Structures are given as structure tokens and as C-alpha cells.
Amino acid sequence: MKLLNLFIALATVTASCTASPQPAKQDHPEQNKPEQSEGPKTHAATGKTLVAYYSFTGNCRAIVNALTSSIEADVLEILPAEEGLDYAANNYEIGSSLIAAIRNNPSDPASYPAIKPVKKDASNYDTIIIVTPLWWSNMAAPMQTYLFQNGSKMAGKTIGLIVSSASSGISSVVADAKRLIPSGNFLQDSLWIRASEVNQASELTASWCSKMFPSNQEDTTMKVTITAAGKAFTATIEGSETGKAFIQRLPMTLEMSELNGNEKYCYGVALPQNDSRYDRIEAGDIMLYSGDCVVLFYGLAGGYNYTRIGKIEDITGLADALGRGSVSVKFEKL
Ligand SMILES: Cc1cc2nc3c(=O)[nH]c(=O)nc-3n(C[C@H](O)[C@H](O)[C@H](O)COP(=O)(O)O)c2cc1C
């Protein structure tokens, strides 16, 4: 049970908090069901893309949420036919026995736990990205069922794999995917996101997409000038939905309040929110807090949920320009 204890410990890593404008929200990934965003996407695979995922405790759901903010895709959630099963109860007894049944007889349809009928046909897609938890070193059983039943429809298609585990390496999950989709054209790198890294899923999935789908990548970053006390700084704004909405509001002058000797903030700027937890924030980071508060950091911080808006490239003189109290800050397109 040493391994079991290890991955439980790693799955429950918490980070320390520092003060922020308002109490930070609790993370409830299971209440944060991925929806297809209508906003602009930074990456696009060739043709139509399907993201198929299974999630028991919400990590893969949060990963899909982050992934679909940077890639244009339809989303399919795989659901076990039997509801309410606790795969982790009694030392992971149910999850363990489901995996053992598949390992013992992988060619027998009866080895795979039933799933609910799926509402999207994999045949209609060119690229399929599988997002799955790891169970006892293998692919989680419900996702194995989906691929056992639908893998033949994925022949010749581009297949991406994103796996979340507490700590175990993902090579056996990659092998499961290749067994279940024998004629898939697998993207060379699978993405492994540990449970403790799910708060960085936006950055990790965006970086993976930019490597996996480089030919379609647009440079959607934008530059702005930020002026305080007569000194101008150049910032790069994210090509995300949030960044684009921010740009659309410019020019804008904000009366920003002081907090903690490291940040200036201003409420009342509602922008699309796609939060991740940030354990390290640096001077020059421009973040959205709580969906309507623009925060400009001039010192180190971290431990709260934010959506990144952008970053000042050269912070020389930033702390002096922002001063010790409230300050008027002008944001305009470069
Ligand atoms: C039945 C079961 C077995 C698991 N086995 C492992 C394991 O062998 N190694 C590991 O690192 N994590 C293991 N985990 C942890 C999950 O892989 C990890 O928490 C993952 O992020 C969960 O994704 P989800 O929240 O989308 O379900 C297991 C979890 C369950 C429920």
C-alpha cells in the first residue's frame, strides 16, 4: 500500500495563501463542467477535433476545461453506466478489480465496465484527443471501454493523449491507448499532468497544443502601453478570450488601489474568467481576479486563483511608478 499512500498524498498537495483583494474562491472542478467556449481559440488541429474525456474526481474535467479554451473542439464525456460507484473506496477496491478484469482478458468485451451511450460519433472527426485518469498504472476502466468500443472508428485519425495521475508514470496508459486504437496516428508526445499540476492545466495544455499543432498556430498576442506617474511600460496581452476582451476595452484608465506592497487592483472590469491557481506571481504580471478585478503586480505573490491577462516585459521602475498608495494607471493599445 506504499504506492497507494504516495499517490493519495500527492493528490492532496495544498499551497500556502497570501492576502488578496477578497477571499479566494474554493475550487470545485466537478461543478465546472467543460462547455464549448464561443471565444477565439489560439490553436486548431487539422479538420474537426473531438476531445473525449473521463473524470472520476474532477481533475481531467478541469484539464478539458483548460484545453478547450485554447483549441477548437467538440467535447464528449464518458460516463459509467452504473452511477454512484466509489472507485476509491476500500483501498480502491472497485477500481482495482475493474483494471484487473481488463488486464486478465483484454480481448473479451465482458471485461470492460458498461458506459452510457455516447452522443458523438468518432468517425466524424479528424483529430481525437483522449483525456483520461490513470488507474493502477493503466488507463481508467471507463475510458478503456469507450476506446474498446470505438477505437476502430479512429483508424487513420490523429490521436492525442493527455493523462492525469497522482504520481505514476503514464507509459502503460500510452500502451493501452495504442492497443485500443491500433491504427491511430498518435501524436508523438503524450501530455502527463499530475494531480498536483492541474492548477497549471491552462499553461500545460496551451504549450502542448502549440507543439502538437504548430502549423495552425496564430500569433494572437497583443501589445499595450501601461502608463503610471508619467512612465510608460510595454505589456504583452494573452491571445485568450480574456486578453482579447481586455484589449477591446482600451483605452482605459483605472484608479487602482494598493494592497500588500506588491499589487494594485481595481474592481469593475468584467472580463471572461478562466481561472487557474497560481502559486507564483511575479512583478509585471497582469491578472484578472474574481472575474472583474484587474490586478497589476509589482512584487512576488501567489496562492490564489486568477485568469492571466498579460505581462509587462521590462519592469524596471515599475514599483516606483506605481508608488505606495492608490494610483491612476492608463492602459492603451501600442
Ligand atoms: C481507482 C483509482 C486508481 C488510481 N491509481 C493510481 C495509481 O496507480 N497511480 C497514481 O499515480 N494515481 C492513481 N490514481 C489517482 C488518479 O490517477 C489521479 O488522482 C487523477 O488525477 C484523477 O483524475 P480524475 O480526477 O479526472 O478522476 C488512482 C485513482 C483511482 C480512482
Side-chain angles (χ1 to χ4, degrees), residues 24-252:
K25 287 183 295 166
Q26 291 286 316
D27 284 331
H28 287 297
E30 62 283 3
Q31 293 170 7
N32 196 13
K33 205 173 169 66
E35 284 170 12
Q36 282 160 259
S37 158
E38 295 305 317
K41 311 288 178 173
T42 313
H43 308 285
T46 309
K48 277 184 77 181
T49 300
L50 177 68
V51 173
Y53 79 98
Y54 167 69
S55 184
F56 174 50
T57 56
N59 289 338
C60 289
R61 185 171 295 119
I63 291 166
V64 170
N65 211 0
L67 175 70
T68 54
S69 70
S70 67
I71 193 163
E72 189 75 53
D74 288 345
V75 175
L76 172 66
E77 181 176 11
I78 307 306
L79 294 165
E82 191 171 350
E83 292 179 14
L85 284 181
D86 184 354
Y87 301 104
N90 299 329
N91 275 335
Y92 294 73
E93 189 183 4
I94 300 177
S96 166
S97 62
L98 290 176
I99 291 298
I102 297 172
R103 273 189 201 153
N104 290 342
N105 202 347
S107 333
D108 183 356
S111 304
Y112 295 81
I115 57 171
K116 292 191 174 170
V118 293
K119 297 193 179 121
K120 291 193 166 62
D121 183 351
S123 316
N124 297 333
Y125 294 86
D126 306 286
T127 299
I128 296 157
I129 301 176
I130 309 295
V131 184
T132 179
L134 171 151
W135 283 5
W136 295 111
S137 297
N138 287 99
M139 182 182 287
M143 181 55 86
Q144 291 209 46
T145 305
Y146 169 65
L147 295 181
F148 184 79
Q149 294 172 355
N150 294 276
S152 60
K153 294 181 185 168
M154 301 178 190
K157 297 181 189 293
T158 301
I159 309 293
L161 182 63
I162 300 179
V163 183
S164 181
S165 73
S167 59
S168 301
I170 67 168
S171 58
S172 297
V173 182
V174 175
D176 286 334
K178 291 186 174 169
R179 168 176 56 83
L180 293 160
I181 317 172
S183 305
N185 294 327
F186 280 80
L187 293 170
Q188 186 159 1
D189 292 347
S190 299
L191 176 62
W192 175 20
I193 300 183
R194 293 169 182 84
S196 58
E197 295 173 326
V198 169
N199 55 3
Q200 299 156 44
S202 293
E203 288 86 346
L204 294 170
T205 54
S207 156
W208 182 75
C209 285
S210 70
K211 282 187 218 134
M212 295 302 111
F213 311 116
S215 57
N216 292 297
Q217 192 179 347
E218 318 159 35
D219 181 9
T220 52
T221 54
M222 299 154 280
K223 305 277 186 192
V224 299
T225 301
I226 299 177
T227 310
K231 182 156 171 55
F233 301 87
T234 301
T236 303
I237 300 301
E238 298 279 299
S240 61
E241 211 180 324
T242 311
K244 292 192 174 183
F246 180 78
I247 291 281
Q248 277 167 12
R249 297 181 73 127
L250 304 187
M252 171 170 72

